[in-house]
Short mmCIF file of all heavy atoms in Angstrom, two decimals:
data_model
loop_
_atom_site.label_atom_id
_atom_site.label_comp_id
_atom_site.label_asym_id
_atom_site.label_seq_id
_atom_site.Cartn_x
_atom_site.Cartn_y
_atom_site.Cartn_z
N PHE A 183 -34.89 2.43 174.94
CA PHE A 183 -35.92 2.09 175.91
C PHE A 183 -37.35 2.34 175.41
O PHE A 183 -38.28 1.72 175.89
CB PHE A 183 -35.71 2.87 177.20
CG PHE A 183 -34.45 2.50 177.90
CD1 PHE A 183 -33.43 3.41 178.05
CD2 PHE A 183 -34.27 1.22 178.41
CE1 PHE A 183 -32.26 3.07 178.71
CE2 PHE A 183 -33.11 0.87 179.05
CZ PHE A 183 -32.09 1.79 179.20
N ALA A 184 -37.55 3.24 174.49
CA ALA A 184 -38.92 3.57 174.09
C ALA A 184 -39.30 2.96 172.75
O ALA A 184 -40.41 3.15 172.28
CB ALA A 184 -39.08 5.10 174.02
N GLY A 185 -38.37 2.25 172.12
CA GLY A 185 -38.70 1.61 170.85
C GLY A 185 -38.88 2.60 169.72
O GLY A 185 -39.58 2.33 168.74
N LEU A 186 -38.25 3.78 169.82
CA LEU A 186 -38.39 4.79 168.77
C LEU A 186 -37.49 4.45 167.60
O LEU A 186 -36.42 3.86 167.75
CB LEU A 186 -38.01 6.18 169.30
CG LEU A 186 -38.78 6.72 170.51
CD1 LEU A 186 -38.23 8.07 170.90
CD2 LEU A 186 -40.26 6.81 170.21
N THR A 187 -37.89 4.85 166.41
CA THR A 187 -37.01 4.77 165.25
C THR A 187 -36.04 5.93 165.32
O THR A 187 -36.25 6.90 166.05
CB THR A 187 -37.82 4.84 163.95
OG1 THR A 187 -38.44 6.13 163.88
CG2 THR A 187 -38.88 3.75 163.89
N TRP A 188 -34.96 5.85 164.52
CA TRP A 188 -34.02 6.98 164.49
C TRP A 188 -34.74 8.26 164.06
O TRP A 188 -34.48 9.34 164.58
CB TRP A 188 -32.89 6.70 163.51
CG TRP A 188 -31.87 5.73 164.01
CD1 TRP A 188 -31.54 4.52 163.47
CD2 TRP A 188 -31.07 5.86 165.19
NE1 TRP A 188 -30.58 3.90 164.23
CE2 TRP A 188 -30.27 4.70 165.29
CE3 TRP A 188 -30.96 6.85 166.17
CZ2 TRP A 188 -29.38 4.50 166.32
CZ3 TRP A 188 -30.06 6.65 167.20
CH2 TRP A 188 -29.28 5.50 167.27
N LYS A 189 -35.65 8.13 163.11
CA LYS A 189 -36.37 9.31 162.61
C LYS A 189 -37.14 9.98 163.73
O LYS A 189 -37.17 11.21 163.85
CB LYS A 189 -37.32 8.90 161.48
CG LYS A 189 -37.95 10.07 160.73
CD LYS A 189 -38.73 9.56 159.54
CE LYS A 189 -39.31 10.73 158.74
NZ LYS A 189 -40.07 10.27 157.58
N GLN A 190 -37.80 9.17 164.56
CA GLN A 190 -38.53 9.74 165.69
C GLN A 190 -37.58 10.32 166.73
O GLN A 190 -37.79 11.42 167.23
CB GLN A 190 -39.40 8.66 166.35
CG GLN A 190 -40.58 8.21 165.51
CD GLN A 190 -41.26 7.01 166.11
OE1 GLN A 190 -40.61 6.06 166.54
NE2 GLN A 190 -42.58 7.03 166.15
N ALA A 191 -36.51 9.59 167.02
CA ALA A 191 -35.60 10.04 168.07
C ALA A 191 -34.90 11.33 167.70
O ALA A 191 -34.64 12.18 168.55
CB ALA A 191 -34.57 8.95 168.35
N LEU A 192 -34.58 11.49 166.44
CA LEU A 192 -33.87 12.70 166.00
C LEU A 192 -34.75 13.94 166.02
O LEU A 192 -34.27 15.04 165.78
CB LEU A 192 -33.31 12.48 164.59
CG LEU A 192 -32.12 11.53 164.52
CD1 LEU A 192 -31.79 11.17 163.09
CD2 LEU A 192 -30.90 12.13 165.21
N ARG A 193 -36.04 13.79 166.34
CA ARG A 193 -36.94 14.94 166.38
C ARG A 193 -37.15 15.44 167.81
O ARG A 193 -38.06 16.20 168.06
CB ARG A 193 -38.30 14.57 165.77
CG ARG A 193 -38.24 14.37 164.27
CD ARG A 193 -39.63 14.21 163.67
NE ARG A 193 -39.54 14.11 162.23
CZ ARG A 193 -39.50 15.14 161.40
NH1 ARG A 193 -39.51 16.35 161.89
NH2 ARG A 193 -39.42 14.96 160.11
N LEU A 194 -36.26 15.03 168.72
CA LEU A 194 -36.47 15.38 170.13
C LEU A 194 -36.57 16.87 170.38
O LEU A 194 -37.27 17.31 171.28
CB LEU A 194 -35.34 14.80 170.97
CG LEU A 194 -35.43 13.30 171.24
CD1 LEU A 194 -34.18 12.82 171.92
CD2 LEU A 194 -36.65 12.98 172.09
N ASP A 195 -35.87 17.69 169.61
CA ASP A 195 -35.86 19.12 169.86
C ASP A 195 -36.85 19.87 168.97
O ASP A 195 -36.86 21.09 168.98
CB ASP A 195 -34.44 19.68 169.65
CG ASP A 195 -33.46 19.17 170.69
OD1 ASP A 195 -33.89 18.95 171.84
OD2 ASP A 195 -32.29 18.97 170.35
N GLU A 196 -37.68 19.17 168.19
CA GLU A 196 -38.54 19.85 167.23
C GLU A 196 -39.95 20.08 167.75
O GLU A 196 -40.58 21.06 167.37
CB GLU A 196 -38.58 19.05 165.92
CG GLU A 196 -37.22 19.00 165.23
CD GLU A 196 -37.30 18.36 163.87
OE1 GLU A 196 -38.42 18.02 163.43
OE2 GLU A 196 -36.25 18.18 163.24
N PHE A 197 -40.49 19.19 168.57
CA PHE A 197 -41.85 19.40 169.04
C PHE A 197 -41.86 20.48 170.11
O PHE A 197 -40.85 20.75 170.77
CB PHE A 197 -42.49 18.10 169.56
CG PHE A 197 -41.64 17.34 170.54
CD1 PHE A 197 -41.56 17.73 171.86
CD2 PHE A 197 -40.93 16.23 170.13
CE1 PHE A 197 -40.80 17.03 172.76
CE2 PHE A 197 -40.16 15.51 171.03
CZ PHE A 197 -40.09 15.91 172.35
N GLN A 198 -43.03 21.10 170.30
CA GLN A 198 -43.14 22.17 171.27
C GLN A 198 -43.05 21.63 172.70
O GLN A 198 -43.45 20.50 172.99
CB GLN A 198 -44.42 22.95 171.04
CG GLN A 198 -44.43 23.72 169.72
CD GLN A 198 -45.60 24.67 169.63
OE1 GLN A 198 -45.81 25.52 170.49
NE2 GLN A 198 -46.39 24.52 168.57
N SER A 199 -42.58 22.47 173.59
CA SER A 199 -42.18 22.01 174.93
C SER A 199 -43.32 21.51 175.80
O SER A 199 -43.10 20.73 176.72
CB SER A 199 -41.45 23.14 175.66
OG SER A 199 -42.30 24.27 175.81
N THR A 200 -44.55 21.93 175.53
CA THR A 200 -45.67 21.52 176.39
C THR A 200 -46.17 20.11 176.10
O THR A 200 -46.89 19.53 176.91
CB THR A 200 -46.85 22.49 176.23
OG1 THR A 200 -47.12 22.67 174.84
CG2 THR A 200 -46.55 23.83 176.88
N VAL A 201 -45.80 19.55 174.96
CA VAL A 201 -46.41 18.29 174.50
C VAL A 201 -46.04 17.11 175.39
O VAL A 201 -46.92 16.34 175.80
CB VAL A 201 -46.04 18.02 173.03
CG1 VAL A 201 -46.58 16.66 172.59
CG2 VAL A 201 -46.57 19.12 172.13
N VAL A 202 -44.77 16.91 175.69
CA VAL A 202 -44.36 15.72 176.43
C VAL A 202 -43.77 16.03 177.80
O VAL A 202 -43.48 15.11 178.56
CB VAL A 202 -43.35 14.87 175.62
CG1 VAL A 202 -43.96 14.42 174.31
CG2 VAL A 202 -42.06 15.62 175.39
N SER A 203 -43.57 17.30 178.13
CA SER A 203 -43.09 17.63 179.47
C SER A 203 -44.17 17.30 180.49
O SER A 203 -45.36 17.23 180.17
CB SER A 203 -42.71 19.11 179.56
OG SER A 203 -43.79 19.94 179.19
N ASP A 204 -43.76 17.11 181.74
CA ASP A 204 -44.70 16.70 182.77
C ASP A 204 -45.59 17.86 183.20
O ASP A 204 -45.30 19.03 182.91
CB ASP A 204 -43.92 16.17 183.98
CG ASP A 204 -44.72 15.16 184.78
OD1 ASP A 204 -45.91 14.98 184.49
OD2 ASP A 204 -44.14 14.55 185.70
N VAL A 205 -46.66 17.55 183.90
CA VAL A 205 -47.54 18.58 184.45
C VAL A 205 -46.78 19.35 185.52
O VAL A 205 -46.06 18.78 186.33
CB VAL A 205 -48.80 17.93 185.07
CG1 VAL A 205 -49.62 18.96 185.84
CG2 VAL A 205 -49.64 17.27 183.99
N ASN A 206 -46.93 20.67 185.51
CA ASN A 206 -46.29 21.52 186.51
C ASN A 206 -47.30 21.89 187.59
O ASN A 206 -48.43 21.41 187.59
CB ASN A 206 -45.69 22.77 185.84
CG ASN A 206 -44.39 23.21 186.48
OD1 ASN A 206 -44.23 23.15 187.69
ND2 ASN A 206 -43.44 23.64 185.66
N GLU A 207 -46.92 22.77 188.51
CA GLU A 207 -47.80 23.13 189.62
C GLU A 207 -49.03 23.92 189.15
O GLU A 207 -50.11 23.80 189.72
CB GLU A 207 -47.03 23.94 190.66
CG GLU A 207 -45.91 23.18 191.36
CD GLU A 207 -46.43 21.99 192.15
OE1 GLU A 207 -47.47 22.14 192.84
OE2 GLU A 207 -45.81 20.92 192.06
N PHE A 208 -48.86 24.75 188.12
CA PHE A 208 -49.95 25.58 187.62
C PHE A 208 -49.99 25.50 186.10
O PHE A 208 -49.01 25.14 185.45
CB PHE A 208 -49.76 27.05 188.03
CG PHE A 208 -49.98 27.31 189.49
CD1 PHE A 208 -48.98 27.07 190.41
CD2 PHE A 208 -51.20 27.79 189.95
CE1 PHE A 208 -49.17 27.29 191.77
CE2 PHE A 208 -51.41 28.01 191.30
CZ PHE A 208 -50.40 27.77 192.21
#
Side-chain angles (χ1 to χ4, degrees):
F183 295 115
L186 302 178
T187 64
W188 284 119
K189 190 173 183 180
Q190 290 171 316
L192 288 169
R193 290 188 176 275
L194 283 173
D195 293 327
E196 295 187 4
F197 50 79
Q198 294 190 55
S199 60
T200 49
V201 175
V202 300
S203 56
D204 207 352
V205 172
N206 216 321
E207 295 297 317
F208 289 82

